[in-house]
């Protein structure tokens, strides 16, 4: 079954792979891409996204979204993030995990005039003729703003798929994950909005759905522009993970965002999916933490949360899609 989606990104190394996978796999009908501030300022995430769409020859519309989170400007904290997500190579050169894509040609792709939250509001004002889902792999600012413009859109969205949060895992603070920490007020608004189906892919899952150096060799053998770009992104991520956040396999990285797309292609990529109540903390040390209620008697469940992922299926799905690039 084909899934029609709108993809919301803060491109970003792993966002780039999500964009390529969504654009290339025929099981995904990509309607639009929206950009938001997160891994980089909005201008940079938008430029990076334009270049990646060019790489896979996609002509789908691109919408610019929010320049700042709803409440708190995370810029001072962002500096620390860049410091922690940076590695030094053999030549002493510093690499940030989410750099500008200077290695790709500049893009003259047009950006739509409508801001992303207004686009969401207009697209979902009425039930779309073909059921459409939203996939958010950056901070949730665009969607939360759309919900402020028109809260009724929730009933016209088939499914909301989110990369974010962590139950046993965190990467921004001791208890929070980057996307939710970057705009916790937006995350809380989205969680409480009453979506028909909300699927969360947190770090608990993405840290298990790893990509290894051997998988990078497979990308290299495929040799298409998408495969080679994915290989470059993973190589850098493997360095950062090895030096800063080792996973359970050696020479491996998490490639968070494309797991959301892989799930829409083959839902068995996600394993150990639990239907729970979630919220987002807005206070003190736990600011930005995904709060999950595991109590048996909880009757206000709002999210399907993946706690594990099949990394081999995930990598196979990416390989199949990259072969379709030319
Ligand atoms: C998430 O944060 C970003 O840095 C990545 O692109 C991913 O969406 C992982 O915590
Ligand atoms: Ca992202």
């Amino acid at each position: 079954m084909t899934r029609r989606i709108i993809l919301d990104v803060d491109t970003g190394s792993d966002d780039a792979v999500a964009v390529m996978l969504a654009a290339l796999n025929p099981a995904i009908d990509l309607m639009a891409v929206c950009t938001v501030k997160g891994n980089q300022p909005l201008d940079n995430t938008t430029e990076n996204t334009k270049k990646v769409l060019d790489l896979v020859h996609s002509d789908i519309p691109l919408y610019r979204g929010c320049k700042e989170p709803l409440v708190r400007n995370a810029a001072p904290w962002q500096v620390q993030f860049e410091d922690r997500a940076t590695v030094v190579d053999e030549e002493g050169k510093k690499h940030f995990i989410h750099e500008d894509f200077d290695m790709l040609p500049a893009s003259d792709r047009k950006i739509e005039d409508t801001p992303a939250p207004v686009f969401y509001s207009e697209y979902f004002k009425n039930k779309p003729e073909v059921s459409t889902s939203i996939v958010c792999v950056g901070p949730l600012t665009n969607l939360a703003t759309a919900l402020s413009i028109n809260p009724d859109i929730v009933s016209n969205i088939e499914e909301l798929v989110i990369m974010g949060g962590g139950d046993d895992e965190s990467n921004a603070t001791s208890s929070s994950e980057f996307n939710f920490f970057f705009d916790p007020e937006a995350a809380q608004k989205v969680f409480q909005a009453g979506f028909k189906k909300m699927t969360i892919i947190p770090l608990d899952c993405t840290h298990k759905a790893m990509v290894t150096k051997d998988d990078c060799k497979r990308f290299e053998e495929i040799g298409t522009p998408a495969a080679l770009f994915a290989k470059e992104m993973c190589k850098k991520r493997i360095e950062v993970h090895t030096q800063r956040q080792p996973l359970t396999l050696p020479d491996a990285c998490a490639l968070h965002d494309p797991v959301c797309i892989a799930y829409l292609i083959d839902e068995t990529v996600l394993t150990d999916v639990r239907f729970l109540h979630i919220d987002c903390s807005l206070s003190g040390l736990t600011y930005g933490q995904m709060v999950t209620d595991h109590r048996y008697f909880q009757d206000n469940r709002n999210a399907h949360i993946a706690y594990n992922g099949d990394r081999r299926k995930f990598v196979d799905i990416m390989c199949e899609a990259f072969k379709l690039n030319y």
Side-chain angles (χ1 to χ4, degrees):
M1 193 188 73
T2 308
R3 297 289 303 263
R4 178 169 285 195
I5 67 162
I6 296 167
L7 179 57
D8 202 294
V9 293
D10 60 329
T11 317
S13 54
D14 54 337
D15 303 74
V17 183
V19 171
M20 297 194 296
L21 184 56
L24 290 171
N25 191 296
I28 301 292
D29 180 11
L30 184 60
M31 287 302 287
V33 174
C34 301
T35 58
V36 69
K37 178 180 179 179
N39 288 320
Q40 293 263 0
L42 181 67
D43 285 346
N44 306 48
T45 62
T46 306
E47 279 309 306
N48 282 350
T49 308
K50 284 166 66 176
K51 290 177 176 183
V52 172
L53 286 170
D54 285 356
L55 190 73
V56 290
H57 311 294
S58 170
D59 57 3
I60 55 112
L62 177 65
Y63 295 84
R64 254 170 79 97
C66 295
K67 221 175 161 146
E68 298 297 343
L70 291 190
V71 175
R72 186 197 56 159
N73 186 339
W77 173 82
Q78 179 83 0
V79 174
Q80 293 171 29
F81 169 68
E82 287 178 11
D83 199 42
R84 273 186 283 141
T86 299
V87 286
V88 180
D89 68 18
E90 300 98 33
E91 288 151 25
K93 226 173 121 200
K94 261 187 158 189
H95 294 281
F96 175 46
I97 199 168
H98 298 294
E99 282 166 329
D100 287 342
F101 296 163
D102 292 334
M103 65 298 252
L104 296 180
S107 171
D108 55 7
R109 178 178 293 267
K110 174 183 167 298
I111 298 168
E112 301 301 314
D113 293 335
T114 312
V118 179
F119 163 65
Y120 281 134
S121 168
E122 283 170 2
Y123 186 97
F124 290 106
K125 191 164 54 190
N126 301 308
K127 199 167 166 34
E129 256 169 49
V130 178
S131 298
T132 309
S133 299
I134 297 181
V135 182
C136 292
V137 297
L140 292 162
T141 323
N142 288 339
L143 187 54
T145 305
L147 291 170
S148 294
I149 299 171
N150 182 1
D152 295 338
I153 60 172
V154 280
S155 51
N156 292 328
I157 297 166
E158 184 188 27
E159 180 176 355
L160 172 63
V161 182
I162 296 173
M163 190 285 129
D167 217 341
D168 286 337
E169 304 270 354
S170 61
N171 60 8
T173 69
S174 56
S175 59
S176 69
E177 175 278 336
F178 178 82
N179 288 339
F180 293 175
F181 180 76
F182 200 84
D183 197 342
E185 286 79 9
Q188 192 186 67
K189 191 173 177 75
V190 167
F191 296 164
Q192 295 178 358
F195 281 92
K196 286 192 289 192
K197 183 171 184 195
M198 184 163 71
T199 300
I200 308 280
I201 300 179
L203 298 176
D204 308 81
C205 170
T206 61
H207 281 188
K208 291 169 191 141
M210 290 164 272
V211 176
T212 63
K213 269 196 181 153
D214 285 343
D215 299 324
C216 288
K217 280 191 203 136
R218 284 180 71 187
F219 295 163
E220 188 158 18
E221 277 157 24
I222 292 166
T224 57
L228 295 177
F229 193 64
K231 186 205 80 181
E232 282 313 309
M233 296 298 103
C234 290
K235 258 179 62 189
K236 189 164 56 175
R237 296 185 65 89
I238 289 172
E239 270 312 306
V240 174
H241 271 284
T242 305
Q243 293 186 28
R244 302 281 180 157
Q245 193 184 29
L247 300 169
T248 50
L249 286 179
D251 292 332
C253 70
L255 194 60
H256 315 279
D257 298 343
V259 179
C260 295
I261 308 296
Y263 152 68
L264 291 168
I265 294 164
D266 177 355
E267 64 180 24
T268 64
V269 165
L270 303 186
T271 55
D272 191 6
V273 181
R274 307 177 203 167
F275 189 38
L276 302 171
H277 179 83
I278 63 161
D279 212 322
C280 188
S281 168
L282 299 183
S283 59
L285 269 181
T286 59
Y287 189 63
Q289 181 182 347
M290 175 178 88
V291 181
T292 43
D293 189 345
H294 291 265
R295 290 174 300 172
Y296 181 76
F297 54 80
Q298 167 64 254
D299 58 4
N300 191 19
R301 295 165 199 252
N302 59 352
H304 300 266
I305 308 174
Y307 282 84
N308 206 338
D310 185 328
R311 68 166 224 92
R312 289 186 197 285
K313 268 190 193 163
F314 173 45
V315 174
D316 285 349
I317 287 171
M318 287 192 286
C319 287
E320 286 314 307
F322 297 156
K323 283 179 197 162
L324 302 175
N325 187 215
Y326 53 89

